[in-house]
Amino acid sequence: MPLRMADRGAVTDPQGLPTSSRPAQRPFSLRSRLLLSATLVLIIALGLVGLALDAAHFRGAVTSLQMRMESYVYQVLAALEVDPPGRLRIEADLADPRLRQPGSGVYIRVQGERDLWTSESSLVLEWPPAPAVAPGQSLFSEPAAGADFFSYDYGVGWQLPDGRILPLTVSVRVAADELEQQTRAFRHGLWRSLGAAGLILVLAQALLFFLGFRPLRQVARDVARVESGRAPRLEGRYPRELEPLARNVNRLLDTEKSNRERIRNALDSLAHSLKTPLAVIQAGLQVDSAESRHSMQQAAEEMNRLIRTRLERAGATARRTLAAPVPVEPQLQRVIASLQKVYSQKMIAIDVRLPEGLAFYGEQRDLLELLGNLLDNAFKYGRKTVRVSAGVVDAAASRPGLRLRVEDDGPGIVEAHWERLLQRGARGDEHVEGHGLGLAIVMELVTAYGGEVSIGGSDLGGAMVTVTVPGS
């Protein structure tokens, strides 16, 4: 059976498998990274602590040994006797029995001008020449390279009966093995204890990380439930640090659902609005005349206008959940300046009442759309005065809301039409002159933010429209 040649462009690994077919290596989880990092830091910290304790113990042991060697000197001097010719003798037993055991590791020598005394333990030791040490002075040295003993030499001036001063040097030698055994035993116990402590701390860290990351795993499971369609939103109880995350995710989900609903409503309205132009076109197709062609042309233009208007409105009301705050005053002044030019013949007086720093947490175009439609109605039907006031809603929220109120001194809106004008699909040309189309757009925008619109009478004599956008 003939073999097929591999593709020239395929890259294979040493085993002959295409690299693209090998599974991608998954990165370490956040918990694993933190645990490895914390374990590494713990090992380094315990190692440094162990080294510091070992060095401190060694220096303490050396200091203790030096003091013990000094006590040997005082024991020897207390038992030492010197006769007039300068001969040395010690007849009393010294306290440490090792001084009577040859090769015990503790050795003492007293060096005079003509005589020398050594402990019984020094029978197997070859003493080096005694160093010159002034009376009352001492010399301590640790084992150097090639040396096996700690050395302590003390100078003494012994006064003889005839008044002469006999210089003596008391030398003490202690084998380094004694301190090494003590240090080795301490070091063994130290590292065993630090190892046990490190293991306990690593297990404790693993437990803490497991418990600490449990809310994140719960969030991941809840998000997976939302993704699979088994839950509409995140409903779990999370720690305080994760509450903003859950709140923003739910806000995004609500926004996505609201956008879908808004687009569906726009398409429903578009389909409903296209029925009449389509009926005109269908009727005109049966009659071949100039009048029917004109009617069909008008119907086609109306369809284009409806499609363009509906799609623009659906796109304009789609909003971002976490939009940056938009200052209200500059946008309000921008809309007022435009309307004053349009209605310059009416000489409308504007009464603006805004708190300093007021912001709208949403899209700038949505704010302009709200202000434009509300103020356009107020300018259109107001006689001399338009009042605009605003304030903060839910000031304690992380994203405060906005309350906007526009009033005019015009003829107002009949109270019987207030509720119906705020229903979806209501139009002013169907119920009352003006205030219909603009309010319908305002209602769609405010509903997208979970807010409310209310209509009432103003003390100026005309209509008052209040828009409330809640905080989050």
Side-chain angles (χ1 to χ4, degrees):
M1 182 175 179
L3 299 177
R4 296 181 60 187
M5 298 295 292
D7 294 339
R8 181 172 299 180
V11 180
T12 60
D13 62 5
Q15 299 178 352
L17 295 176
T19 56
S20 59
S21 64
R22 289 180 295 177
Q25 185 177 4
R26 296 181 60 185
F28 285 138
S29 65
L30 183 60
R31 183 179 61 184
S32 300
R33 294 180 183 180
L34 289 178
L35 183 59
L36 289 176
S37 302
T39 302
L40 179 61
V41 171
L42 180 63
I43 292 174
I44 295 175
L46 291 179
L48 294 177
V49 169
L51 293 176
L53 290 176
D54 182 68
H57 174 266
F58 179 78
R59 296 319 309 172
V62 170
T63 303
S64 176
L65 178 61
Q66 181 180 356
M67 296 175 63
R68 185 155 57 91
M69 295 172 73
E70 185 177 355
S71 69
Y72 288 145
V73 172
Y74 294 145
Q75 291 180 34
V76 170
L77 291 177
L80 179 65
E81 293 183 2
V82 182
D83 58 11
R87 291 190 297 269
L88 308 175
R89 67 177 184 274
I90 298 177
E91 297 180 354
D93 292 337
L94 299 177
D96 194 338
R98 290 182 296 175
L99 294 175
R100 295 190 300 271
Q101 300 174 4
S104 64
V106 180
Y107 315 101
I108 300 179
R109 178 185 66 178
V110 181
Q111 176 73 53
E113 287 182 342
R114 300 177 182 178
D115 199 6
L116 175 67
W117 178 90
T118 59
S119 63
E120 296 177 14
S121 61
S122 303
L123 295 178
V124 296
L125 180 66
E126 295 182 3
W127 286 90
V133 182
Q137 302 296 320
S138 63
L139 178 63
F140 177 79
S141 61
E142 299 180 16
D148 298 327
F149 300 96
F150 287 90
S151 301
Y152 186 83
D153 298 285
Y154 188 76
V156 179
W158 191 279
Q159 186 176 7
L160 298 174
D162 57 4
R164 290 185 301 114
I165 301 298
L166 177 65
L168 301 176
T169 301
V170 182
S171 300
V172 181
R173 299 290 184 269
V174 176
D177 295 343
E178 179 180 349
L179 191 62
E180 289 178 359
Q181 291 177 0
Q182 180 182 356
T183 303
R184 189 162 46 248
F186 173 80
R187 189 173 296 161
H188 179 71
L190 171 66
W191 291 115
R192 184 171 56 186
S193 301
L194 288 178
L199 180 60
I200 294 174
L201 290 175
V202 169
L203 294 177
Q205 286 180 346
L207 178 61
L208 290 176
F209 286 142
F210 177 81
L211 296 177
F213 281 93
R214 176 181 291 179
L216 290 179
R217 294 194 299 272
Q218 179 64 34
V219 170
R221 287 193 295 267
D222 291 346
V223 171
R225 286 171 53 85
V226 173
E227 191 176 19
S228 62
R230 290 178 293 170
R233 54 193 288 120
L234 301 181
E235 299 292 351
R237 298 184 61 182
Y238 308 110
R240 184 180 305 172
E241 293 78 7
L242 294 180
E243 285 181 356
L245 173 63
R247 184 169 59 250
N248 290 333
V249 170
N250 285 332
R251 192 179 300 151
L252 288 172
L253 293 173
D254 293 340
T255 301
E256 191 269 342
K257 180 180 179 181
S258 175
N259 288 338
R260 286 203 314 266
E261 185 68 23
R262 193 160 45 252
I263 292 175
R264 186 182 300 111
N265 290 337
L267 294 177
D268 291 343
S269 298
L270 179 60
H272 180 76
S273 301
L274 291 178
K275 288 181 179 179
T276 301
L278 284 174
V280 173
I281 292 176
Q282 289 176 349
L285 291 176
Q286 301 175 3
V287 181
D288 186 10
S289 64
E291 183 178 355
S292 65
R293 285 194 295 271
H294 180 69
S295 299
M296 288 189 293
Q297 180 65 30
Q298 288 183 337
E301 292 177 356
E302 179 65 14
M303 291 172 63
N304 286 330
R305 186 189 67 80
L306 289 172
I307 292 173
R308 183 173 59 256
T309 301
R310 292 291 180 179
L311 293 181
E312 286 179 356
R313 186 179 303 171
T317 55
R319 61 188 180 92
R320 290 185 296 144
T321 302
L322 303 179
V326 180
V328 175
E329 184 176 4
Q331 311 306 323
L332 177 61
Q333 297 297 337
R334 175 180 172 184
V335 173
I336 291 175
S338 300
L339 292 176
Q340 283 180 333
K341 294 178 181 178
V342 175
Y343 298 97
S344 57
Q345 74 282 359
K346 301 185 69 172
M347 301 295 291
I348 298 291
I350 304 297
D351 181 12
V352 178
R353 303 178 182 181
L354 298 180
E356 185 177 358
L358 183 64
F360 171 68
Y361 286 84
E363 294 286 348
Q364 179 180 0
R365 62 187 180 188
D366 291 345
L367 179 61
L368 289 173
E369 188 81 9
L370 288 174
L371 294 172
N373 283 283
L374 293 176
L375 287 174
D376 182 66
N377 280 337
F379 270 79
K380 182 184 298 182
Y381 300 104
R383 295 187 177 92
K384 296 181 179 180
T385 305
V386 171
R387 180 190 299 162
V388 182
S389 57
V392 178
V393 177
D394 300 332
S398 58
R399 298 169 64 84
L402 173 69
R403 177 176 289 107
L404 181 65
R405 180 171 296 161
V406 177
E407 307 171 64
D408 62 68
D409 59 348
I413 304 175
V414 179
E415 184 175 355
H417 296 148
W418 289 356
E419 183 176 355
R420 191 171 185 182
L421 278 175
L422 297 179
Q423 295 177 358
R424 172 173 159 73
R427 290 293 180 266
D429 53 3
E430 298 171 2
H431 306 290
V432 64
E433 183 182 359
H435 295 93
L437 184 59
L439 286 179
I441 297 174
V442 169
M443 189 63 187
E444 288 185 5
L445 287 172
V446 175
T447 303
Y449 285 91
E452 298 178 350
V453 180
S454 61
I455 302 175
S458 170
D459 56 6
L460 297 178
M464 177 180 67
V465 181
T466 302
V467 171
T468 303
V469 178
S472 57

